[in-house]
Amino acid sequence: MDGQDDATGLEGLRAQWFARIAEAADESALEQVRVGALGKKGEVSLKMRELGKMTPEQRQTAGPALNALKDELNSALLARRASLADAALAERLRAEWLDVTLSARPQRRGTIHPVSQVTEEVAAIFADMGFGVAEGPQVETAWYNFDALNIPGHHPARAEMDTFYMARADGDDRDPHVLRTHTSPVQIRTMQAEGPPLRIIAPGRVYRSDYDQTHTPMFHQVEGLAIDRDISMANLKWVLEEFFAAFFEVDGVETRFRASHFPFTEPSAEVDIRCSWVDGQLKVGEGDGWLEVLGSGMVHPKVLEYGGIDPSQWQGFAFGMGIDRIAMLKYGIPDLRAFFDSDLRWLRHYGFAALDVPTMRGGLSA
Ligand code: PHE
């Protein structure tokens, strides 16, 4: 047997093609191997053709041997093809792996705090009426926080404000530092820095030593100030009604002015907005109720003077409003203290999407 196989060279042929089949790295390489061996001009096929030139005895042993080789190669090719296909599929499954538990929408991670949202809304509305945004320091001098606002040292308003006093680094206790108790000192700073005419709002943090369901030691106010030659309370009323309609996203909001007193305005008024409660839900702009929302008045002549403005030439209105309070009203948030607890569940519930920036054209609270 061996002698005959060696004579026809089949054993070498067999080893060579088996090796090539095993080496074929993918299905197209394997197909080339198949054509090389068993194709029309394949090496094995050519050998089969040589059978015709052989003697009948030679053909009797070479014929079956060649046929057997052909069958063996065919089944080896088939087996190799199957295992290459399996490997290719496994590789595809590995590469095209998909996490079906992934959310279809990108997850909202951080959110905008209601105070930031409402501050942006307020700024957008007043910007539309020509008001710029002014700022001042939170650590303020008593002069800006009180004296320049016509609140002298003995005035009861100083005691009422529950002020946090601070030691001054330079030891000068004639004008101590305080955590500002309201945003009104920004009125003075802006008058000094810019001069008349003026139209600004000043949102920011303020501090008073007080803590219960509606008071926190730090909270937020927004100051409004408009100074020109002939600004009056009528302008104040229009601006406020325009603001509240835009802010509460309703057609109109009636306001009620109640006589009041602030040392830095004369006359002074507390302003209520018309509202009602339906099923425990606040409706702004309609109904029989009134809700106090801010303090306001005409800037006191002495305050204009402290700000370096001549009160015989200029006059204007000012108002101060609680940002946290109007945020609670608009978004139905019951407890002020929760604003500053940093409870992630609260923040996710009341927070706003970071990219929904409030604008007058695009919508305030979308
Ligand atoms: N500063 C006052 C307060 O904190 C509010 C106010 C501002 C009143 C401007 C009148 C004018 O209560």
Side-chain angles (χ1 to χ4, degrees), residues 302-322:
K302 281 195 185 169
V303 172
L304 289 172
E305 273 174 8
Y306 281 122
I309 291 177
D310 180 356
S312 70
Q313 300 293 314
W314 305 92
Q315 59 181 28
F317 66 70
F319 63 84
M321 181 163 54

Side-chain angles (χ1 to χ4, degrees), residues 146-167:
F146 296 122
D147 300 81
L149 290 162
N150 197 30
I151 311 172
H154 55 79
H155 198 284
R158 286 212 188 195
E160 278 164 26
M161 286 257 199
D162 301 306
T163 312
F164 289 108
Y165 282 88
M166 309 178 82

